[in-house]
Amino acid sequence: MACPAKSSVQAALVVLSVAHLTAALKCVCQLCANHTCETSADGACWNSVMLVGGKERVDQTCLTPAEMRGQLFCYGSWNVSKRNCCFTDFCNNHTLHLHTERPSQEEGGWSRLQWVILVLVLSSVLCVAVLLAVCVVQGTHRCTYGRAHKQDPEEPLDDQVLMSPDKCLRELIYDMSTSGSGSGLPLLVQRTIARTIVLQESIGKGRFGEVWRGKWRGEDVAVKIFSSRDERSWFREAEIYQTVMLRHDNILGFIAADNKDNGSWTQLWLVSEYHEHGSLFDYLSRFTVSVEGMILLALSIASGLAHLHMEIIGTQGKPAIAHRDLKSKNVLVKKNGTAVIADLGLAVKHDSTRNSIDIPTNHRVGTKRYMAPEVLDETINTTNFESFKRADIYSLGLVFWELARRCSARGFHEDFQLPYYDMVPSDPSVEDMRKVVCEQKYRPNVPNQWQSCEALRVIGKLMRECWYTNPAARLTALRVKKTVSQLSVNNDVKL
Ligand code: ADP
Ligand code: MG
């Protein structure tokens, strides 16, 4: 039982912490106008220092309540990074340093022996450093897993190991997938990465803000920039990407999320792997694909969707996720001819223990042209999570149709077109789509020529089985994946 004195102290602490977690605060902020920021209610002032590229990097700013709930903002170890949250006006108005608060040496100076050992250790470290430098100069590859810091899988990764200056993206992403939570890098590491990216050129525009190509330590990354108006979308997409066990070869590789306040407005960044071919829409508009190329793309899209839809049970499990905006503009093509599913901003997760969906859903979200019939006529049963997966499968069928048209088999292929290009105007309304898809029950045309090529015949049959009017009759993503997988074996195509 807790002793009375101890429990009254605890009670006082609780009261104190509740008291300071209420009003707005003014804090020192290096990057803000007048070097001052103001928190929302329940926010905190934040002070931090961490090693970046061997130098101390100090950060003073305001924290939102959401950030305070994050894993790491208010904690830190003295020799790696130090972070402080405090709760009075300008309480972060001092500069933190690493290494300055080492526990003081026991009384008395060092013995001669200790000095000798120190000199020996320092000179061996110097030798190793010189040797390493020589290796680097001679062209040793910068990014190999073998040489990377061997981390005990049971130990949490510390920020310094994660941010060591020779880390490349591939290693960081590897660290992410093996780090304890399996859900992404610590928030502070994400922030540090995001703040050392140099933007290069705008590469795309979608529903929210703009997508840029940026450079991080010489490597390309993609940065999706949301305006502060779209904060909820930024938060949601970052949250979905950090779902435990979501990482997959055919889901866009998430790297970091960051909110940067420049004084007058907040820029919200989402950093991911960059794919120079851009979206499947861009790719198919420019190029045709061989039979093997079509199978590879179809198999990777189906594999990505099957992974998204699948629930993995267990402590390191993942919930089933439905995308809700699958289309050729939200699939990206990798250099090796495979694809990843991107833009998870509208996705929903299934909580199978409570049989509920993690956010309130309105009936009609997504892109009208790709909406399933039950979404268009609002007969979709939103209380059943399967409904969202089935609507994704309908959209998958349309993406397969766009892909198959560009397959150049025996020299024959068609031009690139969006689904229903010949039946609705270029920016169709829900009503335009509903008439064609629900009332007239039209579907994109599957040309007869496809029958003469096994791969096109199989993909053609698959798409028809994806776009049935009855959602329950449609194939599952796993079924589609298995069928395309068989096709890939028959055609000697490897994912
Ligand atoms: P929105 O939510 O605004 O639709 P998306 O994430 O779909 O944003 O991105 C919009 C476009 O930007 C994509 O269609 C694609 O052309 C381009 N894009 C997005 N992410 C990347 C990336 N990682 N690599 C290359 N291009 C990308
Ligand atoms: Mg998009």
Side-chain angles (χ1 to χ4, degrees), residues 203 206-208 211 222 224 272-273 275 282 329-330 332 343:
I203 52 171
R207 220 168 349 144
F208 306 112
V211 181
K224 185 163 164 178
S272 65
E273 288 179 311
H275 299 296
D282 299 330
K329 284 188 177 164
N330 286 340
L332 304 173
D343 195 356

Side-chain angles (χ1 to χ4, degrees), residues 363-473:
H363 287 216
R364 262 198 225 127
V365 298
T367 306
K368 297 174 190 96
R369 187 182 291 276
Y370 290 82
M371 279 178 184
E374 66 277 15
V375 178
L376 290 167
D377 67 11
E378 294 187 280
T379 55
I380 183 170
N381 174 8
T382 52
T383 59
N384 181 1
F385 189 76
E386 283 301 307
S387 312
F388 296 103
K389 297 208 280 189
R390 290 166 181 166
D392 277 353
I393 295 291
Y394 168 87
S395 316
L396 177 71
L398 299 184
V399 173
F400 274 16
W401 177 84
E402 293 175 73
L403 174 60
R405 274 178 67 92
R406 299 295 279 156
C407 177
S408 182
R410 299 202 189 99
F412 174 84
H413 64 263
E414 282 141 307
D415 56 344
F416 177 73
Q417 292 294 352
L418 287 170
Y420 303 107
Y421 73 102
D422 47 352
M423 302 173 214
V424 296
S426 60
D427 183 16
S429 64
V430 168
E431 192 47 28
D432 294 331
M433 292 307 305
R434 199 191 56 76
K435 275 195 188 127
V436 168
V437 177
C438 305
E439 271 179 32
Q440 298 168 331
K441 297 199 188 312
Y442 284 140
R443 293 295 182 271
N445 177 43
V446 175
N448 283 336
Q449 286 95 326
W450 290 5
Q451 298 305 317
S452 57
C453 162
E454 189 223 7
L456 279 171
R457 191 173 58 244
V458 172
I459 299 279
K461 180 161 181 283
L462 275 179
M463 62 186 78
R464 283 205 187 98
E465 292 173 336
C466 287
W467 63 44
Y468 287 131
T469 301
N470 175 5

Side-chain angles (χ1 to χ4, degrees), residues 3 86 92 99 103 105 111 126 134 147 158 172 218 249 276 289 328 331-332 356 361 369 376 416 429-430 451 475 493:
C3 72
C86 56
N92 63 338
H99 304 300
Q105 193 63 42
S111 70
L126 197 68
V134 170
R147 202 201 72 246
D158 69 43
L172 268 174
D249 278 350
E276 65 185 41
V289 287
S328 52
V331 170
L332 304 173
S356 62
T361 57
R369 187 182 291 276
L376 290 167
F416 177 73
S429 64
V430 168
Q451 298 305 317
L475 300 174
V493 174

Side-chain angles (χ1 to χ4, degrees), residues 236-411:
R236 177 67 182 162
E237 193 163 355
E239 183 183 53
I240 292 274
Y241 272 115
Q242 291 176 92
T243 305
V244 178
M245 300 296 288
L246 179 66
R247 300 198 81 80
H248 186 274
D249 278 350
N250 306 114
I251 307 274
L252 178 61
F254 168 83
I255 298 170
D258 183 34
N259 52 346
K260 194 163 22 178
D261 193 333
N262 72 358
S264 21
W265 79 93
T266 311
Q267 265 201 351
L268 305 164
W269 283 23
L270 212 93
V271 184
S272 65
E273 288 179 311
Y274 169 74
H275 299 296
E276 65 185 41
H277 283 312
S279 68
L280 182 66
F281 171 90
D282 299 330
Y283 189 78
L284 296 177
S285 310
R286 262 179 276 144
F287 308 111
T288 58
V289 287
S290 62
V291 169
E292 293 75 24
M294 172 185 73
I295 295 174
L296 199 56
L297 285 166
L299 181 56
S300 43
I301 301 166
S303 303
L305 191 64
H307 180 70
L308 207 59
H309 281 185
M310 176 174 53
E311 179 184 6
I312 302 174
I313 315 242
T315 42
Q316 279 297 298
K318 95 170 238 315
I321 299 174
H323 189 287
R324 298 206 298 168
D325 195 18
L326 193 62
K327 57 177 176 175
S328 52
K329 284 188 177 164
N330 286 340
V331 170
L332 304 173
V333 179
K334 293 207 230 182
K335 243 200 215 133
N336 65 3
T338 63
V340 293
I341 295 179
D343 195 356
L344 299 185
L346 288 174
V348 283
K349 296 193 208 182
H350 185 214
D351 179 344
S352 61
T353 48
R354 279 187 280 165
N355 191 23
S356 62
I357 293 157
D358 70 329
I359 49 159
T361 57
N362 45 346
H363 287 216
R364 262 198 225 127
V365 298
T367 306
K368 297 174 190 96
R369 187 182 291 276
Y370 290 82
M371 279 178 184
E374 66 277 15
V375 178
L376 290 167
D377 67 11
E378 294 187 280
T379 55
I380 183 170
N381 174 8
T382 52
T383 59
N384 181 1
F385 189 76
E386 283 301 307
S387 312
F388 296 103
K389 297 208 280 189
R390 290 166 181 166
D392 277 353
I393 295 291
Y394 168 87
S395 316
L396 177 71
L398 299 184
V399 173
F400 274 16
W401 177 84
E402 293 175 73
L403 174 60
R405 274 178 67 92
R406 299 295 279 156
C407 177
S408 182
R410 299 202 189 99

